mmCIF file of all heavy atoms in Angstrom:
data_model
loop_
_atom_site.group_PDB
_atom_site.id
_atom_site.type_symbol
_atom_site.label_atom_id
_atom_site.label_comp_id
_atom_site.label_asym_id
_atom_site.label_seq_id
_atom_site.Cartn_x
_atom_site.Cartn_y
_atom_site.Cartn_z
ATOM 1 N N CYS C 16 -35.492 -36.799 -44.127
ATOM 2 C CA CYS C 16 -36.373 -37.532 -45.045
ATOM 3 C C CYS C 16 -37.451 -36.627 -45.630
ATOM 4 O O CYS C 16 -37.781 -35.613 -45.104
ATOM 5 C CB CYS C 16 -37.026 -38.677 -44.294
ATOM 6 S SG CYS C 16 -35.858 -39.941 -43.782
ATOM 7 N N GLU C 17 -38.028 -37.131 -46.743
ATOM 8 C CA GLU C 17 -39.203 -36.503 -47.327
ATOM 9 C C GLU C 17 -40.373 -36.565 -46.355
ATOM 10 O O GLU C 17 -40.358 -37.328 -45.412
ATOM 11 C CB GLU C 17 -39.579 -37.225 -48.628
ATOM 12 C CG GLU C 17 -38.465 -37.288 -49.608
ATOM 13 C CD GLU C 17 -38.684 -36.468 -50.863
ATOM 14 O OE1 GLU C 17 -39.786 -36.037 -51.072
ATOM 15 O OE2 GLU C 17 -37.741 -36.327 -51.635
ATOM 16 N N ILE C 18 -41.407 -35.740 -46.586
ATOM 17 C CA ILE C 18 -42.587 -35.698 -45.778
ATOM 18 C C ILE C 18 -43.634 -36.671 -46.404
ATOM 19 O O ILE C 18 -43.894 -36.576 -47.520
ATOM 20 C CB ILE C 18 -43.154 -34.329 -45.651
ATOM 21 C CG1 ILE C 18 -42.114 -33.346 -45.078
ATOM 22 C CG2 ILE C 18 -44.483 -34.308 -44.892
ATOM 23 C CD1 ILE C 18 -42.452 -31.908 -45.239
ATOM 24 N N PRO C 19 -44.183 -37.642 -45.610
ATOM 25 C CA PRO C 19 -43.766 -38.067 -44.258
ATOM 26 C C PRO C 19 -42.668 -39.065 -44.333
ATOM 27 O O PRO C 19 -42.474 -39.737 -45.323
ATOM 28 C CB PRO C 19 -45.073 -38.689 -43.744
ATOM 29 C CG PRO C 19 -45.647 -39.337 -44.964
ATOM 30 C CD PRO C 19 -45.366 -38.379 -46.132
ATOM 31 N N CYS C 20 -41.910 -39.142 -43.204
ATOM 32 C CA CYS C 20 -40.841 -40.071 -43.104
ATOM 33 C C CYS C 20 -41.373 -41.511 -43.129
ATOM 34 O O CYS C 20 -42.215 -41.817 -42.262
ATOM 35 C CB CYS C 20 -40.057 -39.770 -41.857
ATOM 36 S SG CYS C 20 -38.698 -40.987 -41.563
ATOM 37 N N PRO C 21 -40.943 -42.367 -43.965
ATOM 38 C CA PRO C 21 -41.436 -43.749 -44.018
ATOM 39 C C PRO C 21 -41.135 -44.566 -42.724
ATOM 40 O O PRO C 21 -41.852 -45.444 -42.379
ATOM 41 C CB PRO C 21 -40.831 -44.363 -45.217
ATOM 42 C CG PRO C 21 -39.646 -43.522 -45.549
ATOM 43 C CD PRO C 21 -39.953 -42.141 -45.029
ATOM 44 N N CYS C 22 -40.080 -44.161 -42.027
ATOM 45 C CA CYS C 22 -39.727 -44.910 -40.827
ATOM 46 C C CYS C 22 -40.826 -44.842 -39.753
ATOM 47 O O CYS C 22 -41.067 -45.835 -39.052
ATOM 48 C CB CYS C 22 -38.428 -44.345 -40.232
ATOM 49 S SG CYS C 22 -37.006 -44.446 -41.322
ATOM 50 N N ASN C 23 -41.503 -43.710 -39.715
ATOM 51 C CA ASN C 23 -42.613 -43.563 -38.734
ATOM 52 C C ASN C 23 -43.802 -44.438 -39.072
ATOM 53 O O ASN C 23 -44.664 -44.608 -38.199
ATOM 54 C CB ASN C 23 -42.996 -42.117 -38.654
ATOM 55 C CG ASN C 23 -41.811 -41.217 -38.164
ATOM 56 O OD1 ASN C 23 -40.841 -41.722 -37.642
ATOM 57 N ND2 ASN C 23 -41.992 -39.926 -38.415
ATOM 58 N N PHE C 24 -43.866 -44.907 -40.242
ATOM 59 C CA PHE C 24 -44.979 -45.797 -40.737
ATOM 60 C C PHE C 24 -44.522 -47.211 -40.843
ATOM 61 O O PHE C 24 -45.261 -48.047 -41.482
ATOM 62 C CB PHE C 24 -45.529 -45.244 -42.066
ATOM 63 C CG PHE C 24 -46.129 -43.897 -41.964
ATOM 64 C CD1 PHE C 24 -45.390 -42.753 -41.891
ATOM 65 C CD2 PHE C 24 -47.513 -43.767 -41.810
ATOM 66 C CE1 PHE C 24 -45.993 -41.521 -41.723
ATOM 67 C CE2 PHE C 24 -48.094 -42.516 -41.630
ATOM 68 C CZ PHE C 24 -47.321 -41.395 -41.605
ATOM 69 N N GLY C 25 -43.443 -47.576 -40.202
ATOM 70 C CA GLY C 25 -43.001 -49.001 -40.167
ATOM 71 C C GLY C 25 -42.205 -49.434 -41.360
ATOM 72 O O GLY C 25 -41.969 -50.619 -41.583
ATOM 73 N N ARG C 26 -41.738 -48.500 -42.173
ATOM 74 C CA ARG C 26 -40.942 -48.818 -43.341
ATOM 75 C C ARG C 26 -39.543 -48.143 -43.143
ATOM 76 O O ARG C 26 -39.380 -47.317 -42.328
ATOM 77 C CB ARG C 26 -41.504 -48.231 -44.606
ATOM 78 C CG ARG C 26 -42.926 -48.748 -44.912
ATOM 79 C CD ARG C 26 -42.922 -50.138 -45.369
ATOM 80 N NE ARG C 26 -44.189 -50.629 -45.831
ATOM 81 C CZ ARG C 26 -44.955 -51.478 -45.169
ATOM 82 N NH1 ARG C 26 -44.513 -51.973 -44.061
ATOM 83 N NH2 ARG C 26 -46.063 -51.888 -45.613
ATOM 84 N N ARG C 27 -38.614 -48.506 -43.953
ATOM 85 C CA ARG C 27 -37.282 -47.877 -43.916
ATOM 86 C C ARG C 27 -37.150 -46.905 -45.138
ATOM 87 O O ARG C 27 -37.574 -47.152 -46.193
ATOM 88 C CB ARG C 27 -36.156 -48.911 -43.983
ATOM 89 C CG ARG C 27 -35.962 -49.667 -42.730
ATOM 90 C CD ARG C 27 -35.286 -48.679 -41.736
ATOM 91 N NE ARG C 27 -34.971 -49.436 -40.511
ATOM 92 C CZ ARG C 27 -34.907 -48.795 -39.380
ATOM 93 N NH1 ARG C 27 -35.060 -47.529 -39.306
ATOM 94 N NH2 ARG C 27 -34.622 -49.472 -38.280
ATOM 95 N N THR C 28 -36.521 -45.757 -44.809
ATOM 96 C CA THR C 28 -36.257 -44.851 -45.878
ATOM 97 C C THR C 28 -35.143 -45.385 -46.809
ATOM 98 O O THR C 28 -34.237 -46.119 -46.336
ATOM 99 C CB THR C 28 -35.864 -43.465 -45.337
ATOM 100 O OG1 THR C 28 -35.669 -42.532 -46.399
ATOM 101 C CG2 THR C 28 -34.600 -43.512 -44.535
ATOM 102 N N LYS C 29 -35.146 -44.966 -48.022
ATOM 103 C CA LYS C 29 -34.057 -45.288 -48.965
ATOM 104 C C LYS C 29 -33.025 -44.163 -48.969
ATOM 105 O O LYS C 29 -31.983 -44.276 -49.599
ATOM 106 C CB LYS C 29 -34.626 -45.502 -50.375
ATOM 107 C CG LYS C 29 -35.500 -46.753 -50.374
ATOM 108 C CD LYS C 29 -36.057 -46.983 -51.788
ATOM 109 C CE LYS C 29 -36.736 -48.308 -51.860
ATOM 110 N NZ LYS C 29 -38.127 -48.438 -51.706
ATOM 111 N N LEU C 30 -33.321 -43.087 -48.290
ATOM 112 C CA LEU C 30 -32.444 -41.954 -48.164
ATOM 113 C C LEU C 30 -31.520 -42.016 -46.987
ATOM 114 O O LEU C 30 -31.807 -42.890 -46.103
ATOM 115 C CB LEU C 30 -33.262 -40.634 -48.045
ATOM 116 C CG LEU C 30 -34.278 -40.337 -49.081
ATOM 117 C CD1 LEU C 30 -35.090 -39.141 -48.706
ATOM 118 C CD2 LEU C 30 -33.611 -40.082 -50.441
ATOM 119 N N LYS C 31 -30.476 -41.299 -46.935
ATOM 120 C CA LYS C 31 -29.659 -41.190 -45.740
ATOM 121 C C LYS C 31 -30.483 -40.388 -44.733
ATOM 122 O O LYS C 31 -30.859 -39.275 -45.004
ATOM 123 C CB LYS C 31 -28.372 -40.466 -46.083
ATOM 124 C CG LYS C 31 -27.441 -40.352 -44.845
ATOM 125 C CD LYS C 31 -26.134 -39.641 -45.256
ATOM 126 C CE LYS C 31 -25.291 -39.385 -44.071
ATOM 127 N NZ LYS C 31 -24.189 -40.301 -43.975
ATOM 128 N N CYS C 32 -30.732 -40.964 -43.611
ATOM 129 C CA CYS C 32 -31.641 -40.347 -42.587
ATOM 130 C C CYS C 32 -30.753 -39.724 -41.484
ATOM 131 O O CYS C 32 -30.194 -40.468 -40.654
ATOM 132 C CB CYS C 32 -32.607 -41.367 -42.016
ATOM 133 S SG CYS C 32 -33.726 -40.548 -40.852
ATOM 134 N N GLU C 33 -30.685 -38.399 -41.496
ATOM 135 C CA GLU C 33 -29.982 -37.691 -40.450
ATOM 136 C C GLU C 33 -31.035 -36.943 -39.666
ATOM 137 O O GLU C 33 -31.943 -36.240 -40.317
ATOM 138 C CB GLU C 33 -29.007 -36.624 -41.078
ATOM 139 C CG GLU C 33 -27.974 -37.379 -41.944
ATOM 140 C CD GLU C 33 -27.192 -36.445 -42.846
ATOM 141 O OE1 GLU C 33 -27.804 -35.514 -43.398
ATOM 142 O OE2 GLU C 33 -25.976 -36.578 -42.914
ATOM 143 N N GLY C 34 -31.056 -37.061 -38.381
ATOM 144 C CA GLY C 34 -32.162 -36.425 -37.605
ATOM 145 C C GLY C 34 -31.758 -36.019 -36.233
ATOM 146 O O GLY C 34 -30.690 -36.316 -35.729
ATOM 147 N N SER C 35 -32.667 -35.290 -35.634
ATOM 148 C CA SER C 35 -32.537 -34.830 -34.216
ATOM 149 C C SER C 35 -33.880 -34.981 -33.562
ATOM 150 O O SER C 35 -34.885 -34.460 -34.064
ATOM 151 C CB SER C 35 -32.075 -33.431 -34.108
ATOM 152 O OG SER C 35 -30.764 -33.279 -34.621
ATOM 153 N N ARG C 36 -33.913 -35.696 -32.459
ATOM 154 C CA ARG C 36 -35.168 -35.942 -31.698
ATOM 155 C C ARG C 36 -35.101 -35.445 -30.299
ATOM 156 O O ARG C 36 -34.148 -35.750 -29.540
ATOM 157 C CB ARG C 36 -35.471 -37.470 -31.657
ATOM 158 C CG ARG C 36 -36.735 -37.804 -30.847
ATOM 159 C CD ARG C 36 -36.989 -39.291 -30.840
ATOM 160 N NE ARG C 36 -37.467 -39.744 -32.124
ATOM 161 C CZ ARG C 36 -37.826 -40.982 -32.401
ATOM 162 N NH1 ARG C 36 -37.778 -41.898 -31.448
ATOM 163 N NH2 ARG C 36 -38.206 -41.304 -33.590
ATOM 164 N N LEU C 37 -36.058 -34.654 -29.934
ATOM 165 C CA LEU C 37 -36.198 -34.125 -28.582
ATOM 166 C C LEU C 37 -37.187 -35.026 -27.857
ATOM 167 O O LEU C 37 -38.304 -35.300 -28.311
ATOM 168 C CB LEU C 37 -36.771 -32.683 -28.600
ATOM 169 C CG LEU C 37 -37.242 -32.149 -27.268
ATOM 170 C CD1 LEU C 37 -36.093 -31.903 -26.280
ATOM 171 C CD2 LEU C 37 -38.053 -30.833 -27.526
ATOM 172 N N ILE C 38 -36.811 -35.474 -26.643
ATOM 173 C CA ILE C 38 -37.745 -36.212 -25.802
ATOM 174 C C ILE C 38 -37.775 -35.511 -24.412
ATOM 175 O O ILE C 38 -36.705 -35.305 -23.832
ATOM 176 C CB ILE C 38 -37.284 -37.727 -25.637
ATOM 177 C CG1 ILE C 38 -37.311 -38.363 -26.974
ATOM 178 C CG2 ILE C 38 -38.156 -38.383 -24.634
ATOM 179 C CD1 ILE C 38 -36.818 -39.801 -27.020
ATOM 180 N N GLN C 39 -38.948 -35.084 -24.031
ATOM 181 C CA GLN C 39 -39.176 -34.450 -22.718
ATOM 182 C C GLN C 39 -40.143 -35.245 -21.893
ATOM 183 O O GLN C 39 -41.303 -35.341 -22.268
ATOM 184 C CB GLN C 39 -39.708 -33.049 -22.886
ATOM 185 C CG GLN C 39 -38.690 -32.087 -23.492
ATOM 186 C CD GLN C 39 -39.251 -30.653 -23.590
ATOM 187 O OE1 GLN C 39 -40.175 -30.467 -24.348
ATOM 188 N NE2 GLN C 39 -38.683 -29.764 -22.777
ATOM 189 N N ILE C 40 -39.694 -35.872 -20.848
ATOM 190 C CA ILE C 40 -40.546 -36.663 -19.995
ATOM 191 C C ILE C 40 -41.510 -35.727 -19.256
ATOM 192 O O ILE C 40 -41.072 -34.794 -18.581
ATOM 193 C CB ILE C 40 -39.719 -37.534 -19.034
ATOM 194 C CG1 ILE C 40 -38.809 -38.523 -19.841
ATOM 195 C CG2 ILE C 40 -40.650 -38.299 -18.095
ATOM 196 C CD1 ILE C 40 -37.867 -39.331 -19.026
ATOM 197 N N THR C 41 -42.811 -35.997 -19.348
ATOM 198 C CA THR C 41 -43.817 -35.170 -18.762
ATOM 199 C C THR C 41 -44.355 -35.784 -17.424
ATOM 200 O O THR C 41 -44.801 -35.078 -16.557
ATOM 201 C CB THR C 41 -45.002 -34.901 -19.696
ATOM 202 O OG1 THR C 41 -45.540 -36.191 -20.129
ATOM 203 C CG2 THR C 41 -44.584 -34.055 -20.876
ATOM 204 N N GLU C 42 -44.314 -37.159 -17.350
ATOM 205 C CA GLU C 42 -44.692 -37.791 -16.111
ATOM 206 C C GLU C 42 -44.067 -39.150 -16.064
ATOM 207 O O GLU C 42 -43.893 -39.804 -17.079
ATOM 208 C CB GLU C 42 -46.233 -37.898 -15.985
ATOM 209 C CG GLU C 42 -46.894 -38.731 -16.918
ATOM 210 C CD GLU C 42 -48.403 -38.800 -16.677
ATOM 211 O OE1 GLU C 42 -49.083 -37.794 -16.973
ATOM 212 O OE2 GLU C 42 -48.888 -39.833 -16.244
ATOM 213 N N GLY C 43 -43.671 -39.591 -14.893
ATOM 214 C CA GLY C 43 -43.058 -40.902 -14.769
ATOM 215 C C GLY C 43 -42.067 -40.881 -13.582
ATOM 216 O O GLY C 43 -41.614 -39.818 -13.147
ATOM 217 N N ASN C 44 -41.792 -42.075 -13.089
ATOM 218 C CA ASN C 44 -40.816 -42.177 -12.023
ATOM 219 C C ASN C 44 -40.264 -43.580 -12.025
ATOM 220 O O ASN C 44 -40.828 -44.505 -12.645
ATOM 221 C CB ASN C 44 -41.480 -41.903 -10.604
ATOM 222 C CG ASN C 44 -42.616 -42.928 -10.334
ATOM 223 O OD1 ASN C 44 -42.313 -44.066 -10.049
ATOM 224 N ND2 ASN C 44 -43.906 -42.511 -10.417
ATOM 225 N N ILE C 45 -39.129 -43.698 -11.307
ATOM 226 C CA ILE C 45 -38.452 -45.004 -11.143
ATOM 227 C C ILE C 45 -37.802 -44.924 -9.784
ATOM 228 O O ILE C 45 -37.151 -43.961 -9.463
ATOM 229 C CB ILE C 45 -37.442 -45.346 -12.252
ATOM 230 C CG1 ILE C 45 -36.860 -46.700 -12.078
ATOM 231 C CG2 ILE C 45 -36.362 -44.297 -12.368
ATOM 232 C CD1 ILE C 45 -36.113 -47.252 -13.229
ATOM 233 N N GLY C 46 -38.049 -45.943 -9.004
ATOM 234 C CA GLY C 46 -37.397 -46.021 -7.666
ATOM 235 C C GLY C 46 -37.790 -44.848 -6.808
ATOM 236 O O GLY C 46 -36.900 -44.377 -5.983
ATOM 237 N N GLY C 47 -38.950 -44.226 -6.981
ATOM 238 C CA GLY C 47 -39.311 -43.017 -6.197
ATOM 239 C C GLY C 47 -38.809 -41.726 -6.747
ATOM 240 O O GLY C 47 -39.231 -40.673 -6.257
#
């Protein structure tokens, strides 16, 4: 998407949105 991506602001892009997102958990637990 163009800068800034409208999806991040609660809107949908009119473009084809191809992306890659990295998520790295820094703190948290489940069931110990």
Side-chain angles (χ1 to χ4, degrees):
C16 294
E17 304 248 348
I18 301 168
C20 175
C22 300
N23 299 343
F24 293 80
R26 303 287 188 252
R27 283 288 184 206
T28 183
K29 294 180 171 98
L30 303 172
K31 180 179 175 103
C32 183
E33 300 166 319
S35 294
R36 177 180 288 184
L37 166 69
I38 299 176
Q39 290 182 294
I40 299 173
T41 56
E42 65 180 72
N44 63 72
I45 184 168

